[in-house]
Amino acid sequence: MKEDKIFHPRANKYLRTEMLPTAFCPGCGCGTVLNGFLQALDELKLDPKELVFVTGIGCSSWIPSPYFKGDTLHTTHGRPIAFATGVKVMKPDMKVIVIAGDGDIAGIGGNHLIHAARRNIDISVFMVNNWNYGMTGGQVSPTTPFGVRTGTTPYGSAEHQLEAAEVVAAAGANYVARWTTYHVFPMVKAMQEALRVKGFSFVEIIAQCPVSYGKMVKMRRGSDFLKLYKEKSVKVEKARQMSDEELEGKIVVGKLKERKRTEFVSTLRQINERFRQELAN
Amino acid sequence: MITINEELCKGCEICTDFCPKKVLASSNTINKKGYYLPAATHKDKCTGCRLCELMCPELAILISKE
Amino acid sequence: MGDEAAAYGALYAGCNFFAGYPITPASEIAEVMARELPRSDGYYVQMEDEISSISAIIGAVWAGGKAMTATSGPGFSLMQENIGYAIMTETPCVLVNVQRSGPSTGQATKPAQGDVLQARWGTHGDHEIIALSPSSVQETFSLTIEAFNLSEKYRTLVILLMDGEIGHLRENITFPPLEEITLQERKTGPADAPSFGGAAVPPMSTFGQGRFVHVTGSTHKENGMRDVSTQSVHQELVTRLCGKIRDARGEIWRIEEDYMPGAKVGVLTYGATARPAKGAVLEARRQGTAVDFLRLISIWPFPEEAVRKLADRVDVILVPEMNLGQISREVERFTSKPVLPISRIGGVIHRVEEIKDEIIANG
């Protein structure tokens, strides 16, 4: 597509516009996350030359790759946070950003998520949670709600949803938030806060998959999901006053954790600095 | 001003469903890919809140000052 | 010990990033790297597993680093997918595999050479691989530097295929003066030069240069952008990736040969096994049997020319190795003469006598 047809000025700055329109299905939440992230970068006035996008395999991994300008490492399934760790250690002055899905980040790559949060390495992870493996046609994922029929749970899922954001908060990250694609303004704000935080930051974005997941729950329009998100969402402040039973089936949104633990790479750099000083003396 | 990029739109109707003032509505105009485009039928009611611009999964809507 | 020599070889080669996960008999490599890297302003990161270890080193290389990881059999199995990623994305890096007895946990503390074919074919899809196998602690040091140089020269992952015997062997070694060590520089190019085509080994742009480098394990065009539907794009890419190593195999091959006139039997060996094999050859000669000796230093690409030459000279080739016959199968591809494996598994290296007896029996 020719550049003059892309009329978002921020799109020209941050996107590989020749790759548009996106490859996402109509009404896909990945596009809204892309849109919101573009807005977040633009408001923060970040230079695309200072951004490294690291991504995995799945629909939402296509948000940064190929659409965002910036150095991009499109890795194997589940491993973007591990690849990003090597990038961040060697390029601490660049913003290292992981955008990938629930299957990638919470499923196959769940252990990398926990340990990166524990190290509190200065990486921002945006987990686009569409409650299923969408690219492969709609199979149960670690975040699929209990009881839902999917391609691989034809009699209803017997598993419970992983609350990834709560896990990351417990693991030691400096910033954790959850929003949905219905909450675009707070979502953009959370993205900005995550990008500003020094340390591991994690934003879980519940995002609709009206095609692969939608066909199984008979919600075939993006808006069907956005209405559900609106109805089921509970602000974290209110959720803290609620019982587990009351919270069943609810989506807790807001800033779940903010702390100021020492960041991993800066500690490594301090250790090296000590050696430099010893050598100088 | 509401600008709709007809080439990018995939007709998902999120903008028409969620516009708080019902400025946008589905139209009978079809783009090259066969998607029904939204139309700003009540431009006068637009408050410029940019909800449609940010919710659009295709970057197909831009709200700008006149 | 061999493990320490691999670590020091890496440091002499300019390695400034190491990610790893403890495993016997390779942990000592990680320990030396963790201790020494900060002195040269490098970084050690202990990851949560071997998959993340190889992931992190690939990330570090794209961020401009020179990186290595080290493991043993079980960890090597876990790394297979991302070995393919490093090959596909043309990421220069070094993987040390200090082989131990398998399958599975096997004899965790005992040496073996059971991963020779996994090193060649472990990752999925068509590919070529470079693997070097040292027979002494001194050679471990120099081959680690070679591994880094080859990885840069051909922009690919290189495996240092050690065995636990060498990894834990203690020998004195000499560190050469720094000025005597030649290092292969990373091939760089102008901003508009494609990073993934246009030459057998394209120049490499790394992150932070403002070039918006796009790296993907998917089939990609010369500019790095994904194209997974065009047949010719995949064919050209994978053919070039294989060709850049296959066509350069003559430059990559490293062997040690010791031939004598009238030999009817040849011994072909590698790694730790080369030590008793060499002893057996010398002893057999002392007892009057003419025997040829060929040691493979580069295992992959397979030094087929040297193997053919040996096969032309002798009537039978003996292949002592610490597995049930892996390299011996490869030797069979290049000769119709008898190839007799002398296998030894169970974590105990061959004795000189058993190889010598086979030489004399076949000589």
Side-chain angles (χ1 to χ4, degrees):
Chain A
M1 181 161 285
K2 287 198 188 82
E3 207 156 86
D4 59 306
K5 286 181 181 154
I6 310 299
F7 45 74
H8 275 193
R10 55 186 185 274
N12 289 325
K13 186 171 173 193
Y14 290 105
L15 299 183
R16 302 182 200 255
T17 49
E18 71 278 9
M19 306 306 293
L20 297 174
T22 71
F24 302 126
C25 306
C28 172
C30 290
T32 304
V33 175
L34 191 163
N35 190 337
F37 201 73
L38 176 61
Q39 176 73 16
L41 291 179
D42 192 49
E43 283 179 26
L44 290 177
K45 298 193 168 26
L46 290 171
D47 184 345
K49 290 184 176 169
E50 285 163 14
L51 307 178
V52 181
F53 291 96
V54 189
T55 181
I57 302 296
C59 297
S60 48
S61 291
W62 285 36
I63 297 170
S65 164
Y67 304 113
F68 275 94
K69 272 186 205 165
D71 292 319
T72 306
L73 192 59
H74 197 145
T75 74
T76 45
H77 188 37
R79 317 301 168 200
I81 295 174
F83 280 81
T85 299
V87 174
K88 185 66 192 184
V89 170
M90 297 313 284
K91 282 268 181 261
D93 297 331
M94 294 184 81
K95 282 255 177 255
V96 179
I97 297 157
V98 173
I99 304 179
D102 51 307
D104 214 282
I105 299 294
I108 183 169
N111 202 32
H112 309 311
L113 174 67
I114 290 168
H115 290 283
R118 175 180 63 81
R119 285 181 200 108
N120 199 25
I121 185 168
D122 188 22
I123 295 170
S124 299
V125 176
F126 302 92
M127 187 183 93
V128 184
N129 179 359
N130 65 3
W131 294 345
N132 83 126
Y133 288 94
M135 191 175 257
T136 45
Q139 294 83 22
V140 70
S141 88
T143 56
T144 305
F146 181 83
V148 169
R149 290 169 190 239
T150 72
T152 48
T153 51
Y155 314 111
S157 171
E159 302 179 20
H160 297 279
Q161 272 183 309
L162 182 78
E163 302 286 359
E166 281 77 358
V167 170
V168 176
N174 265 2
Y175 180 91
V176 180
R178 180 191 287 114
W179 291 101
T180 80
T181 44
Y182 169 73
H183 305 91
V184 279
F185 291 106
M187 175 188 85
V188 170
K189 184 161 175 272
M191 287 170 164
Q192 290 173 344
E193 286 175 350
L195 288 168
R196 274 205 212 101
V197 158
K198 176 97 174 155
F200 193 81
S201 55
F202 182 79
V203 183
E204 175 176 346
I205 304 146
I206 315 278
Q208 71 275 19
C209 172
V211 175
S212 289
Y213 188 82
K215 75 173 184 232
M216 301 181 293
V217 293
K218 306 214 163 29
M219 291 165 70
R220 290 168 193 275
R221 298 173 72 240
S223 298
D224 297 343
F225 286 89
L226 299 178
K227 283 169 193 162
L228 180 81
Y229 299 162
K230 182 184 176 185
E231 181 193 320
K232 296 285 184 190
S233 292
V234 179
K235 291 270 171 60
V236 61
E237 294 79 11
K238 191 181 168 199
R240 288 194 178 119
Q241 316 299 320
M242 292 165 69
S243 67
D244 284 353
E245 290 72 30
E246 288 171 316
L247 283 171
E248 196 64 41
K250 295 281 190 288
I251 301 168
V252 178
V253 296
K255 191 194 295 179
L256 274 63
K257 194 79 193 180
E258 200 167 22
R259 54 159 82 88
K260 288 197 159 57
R261 271 196 184 161
T262 316
E263 194 272 331
F264 176 67
V265 181
S266 55
T267 309
L268 289 183
R269 301 239 150 201
Q270 279 165 18
I271 292 168
N272 284 13
E273 182 58 32
R274 236 178 286 155
F275 276 99
R276 247 197 309 276
Q277 280 168 5
E278 271 175 32
L279 280 175
N281 292 336
Chain B
M1 192 171 73
I2 306 168
T3 320
I4 293 164
N5 186 322
E6 298 187 1
E7 289 196 27
L8 294 183
C9 178
K10 288 181 187 160
C12 72
E13 300 178 326
I14 287 175
C15 56
T16 58
D17 287 343
F18 286 91
C19 174
K21 300 289 178 191
K22 299 286 167 211
V23 174
L24 295 160
S26 298
S27 77
N28 289 323
T29 314
I30 297 176
N31 73 4
K32 277 184 200 157
K33 292 195 171 147
Y35 295 119
Y36 285 96
L37 296 168
T41 49
H42 294 95
K43 279 183 195 164
D44 49 313
K45 289 188 191 162
C46 179
T47 61
C49 76
R50 294 180 66 225
L51 187 67
C52 57
E53 179 184 317
L54 274 177
M55 281 184 113
C56 174
E58 298 301 330
L59 306 168
I61 307 178
L62 185 70
I63 307 297
S64 51
K65 288 184 181 138
E66 294 287 343
Chain C
M1 59 170 76
D3 280 358
E4 293 168 317
Y8 283 107
L11 293 163
Y12 270 70
C15 174
N16 55 11
F17 185 88
F18 183 99
Y21 186 83
I23 186 167
T24 303
S27 305
E28 291 85 350
I29 301 176
E31 289 187 351
V32 175
M33 295 306 273
R35 192 180 68 221
E36 299 295 335
L37 270 171
R39 296 177 201 273
S40 51
D41 204 17
Y43 297 92
Y44 170 87
V45 182
Q46 186 158 314
M47 298 300 289
E48 51 274 13
D49 56 31
E50 288 87 349
I51 299 174
S52 47
S53 298
I54 187 169
S55 301
I57 70 162
I58 296 170
V61 170
W62 282 100
K66 274 185 104 167
M68 182 169 94
T69 186
T71 189
S72 185
F76 191 54
S77 293
L78 287 176
M79 290 182 180
Q80 292 304 323
E81 183 189 13
N82 282 335
I83 289 174
Y85 185 87
I87 291 169
M88 190 64 151
T89 56
E90 303 182 71
T91 308
C93 56
V94 174
L95 190 172
V96 184
N97 176 9
V98 191
Q99 296 165 90
R100 70 187 218 188
S101 290
S104 189
T105 312
Q107 295 169 293
T109 62
K110 304 289 187 187
Q113 295 167 337
D115 308 346
V116 174
L117 291 179
Q118 190 190 17
R120 177 65 185 85
W121 293 114
T123 198
H124 60 281
D126 291 307
H127 63 277
E128 291 288 331
I129 195 95
I130 301 174
L132 309 174
S133 175
S135 293
S136 69
V137 176
Q138 184 74 52
E139 192 176 49
T140 303
F141 175 82
S142 60
L143 280 189
T144 308
I145 298 171
E146 287 272 296
F148 271 98
N149 284 346
L150 290 169
S151 79
E152 296 293 347
K153 188 166 185 188
Y154 299 106
R155 256 190 79 183
T156 192
L157 176 141
V158 174
I159 297 169
L160 186 73
L161 198 58
M162 235 202 292
D163 45 61
E165 194 69 29
I166 299 297
H168 278 178
L169 181 69
R170 291 189 180 276
E171 287 180 317
N172 285 333
I173 70 164
T174 311
F175 291 117
L178 270 175
E179 60 271 17
E180 283 179 19
I181 291 171
T182 313
L183 295 182
Q184 175 76 41
E185 293 290 316
R186 184 160 297 170
K187 193 175 170 187
T188 54
D192 56 350
S195 269
F196 302 94
V201 182
M204 186 174 173
S205 292
T206 51
F207 297 168
Q209 300 175 305
R211 295 180 176 183
F212 302 140
V213 183
H214 191 274
V215 184
T216 175
S218 293
T219 297
H220 44 272
K221 295 181 280 198
E222 293 189 345
N223 64 2
M225 300 310 285
R226 184 169 59 233
D227 179 345
V228 295
S229 50
T230 312
Q231 188 272 341
S232 61
V233 171
H234 186 80
Q235 178 162 330
E236 275 167 34
L237 173 64
V238 177
T239 306
R240 178 176 63 75
L241 295 181
C242 291
K244 71 177 177 182
I245 292 169
R246 197 176 287 160
D247 297 344
R249 60 192 188 278
E251 289 171 35
I252 300 169
W253 285 336
R254 279 147 179 78
I255 52 158
E256 177 195 343
E257 43 186 15
D258 177 5
Y259 296 157
M260 65 181 293
K264 289 195 164 58
V265 59
V267 174
L268 186 151
T269 183
Y270 57 95
T273 318
R275 300 167 72 102
K278 187 73 181 262
V281 165
L282 296 177
E283 186 58 25
R285 285 177 183 169
R286 205 182 57 79
Q287 294 183 16
T289 304
V291 51
D292 282 351
F293 176 82
L294 171 62
R295 177 168 74 95
L296 308 186
I297 300 168
S298 63
I299 304 261
W300 308 113
F302 192 67
E304 61 203 50
E305 212 171 270
V307 172
R308 279 206 187 92
K309 183 175 153 197
L310 174 68
D312 284 346
R313 293 173 52 87
V314 298
D315 296 333
V316 56
I317 298 176
L318 305 176
V319 185
E321 50 184 338
M322 294 170 78
N323 54 51
L324 293 180
Q326 296 201 10
I327 279 293
S328 59
R329 286 168 172 242
E330 195 69 15
V331 175
E332 283 171 350
R333 295 180 60 221
F334 299 99
T335 177
S336 53
K337 290 180 180 168
V339 177
L340 305 179
I342 306 174
S343 291
R344 199 169 233 287
I345 60 168
V348 184
I349 194 167
H350 296 73
R351 284 174 295 113
V352 170
E353 286 70 30
E354 66 183 306
I355 301 173
K356 183 204 72 183
D357 291 348
E358 287 289 334
I359 294 170
I360 291 171
N362 287 281

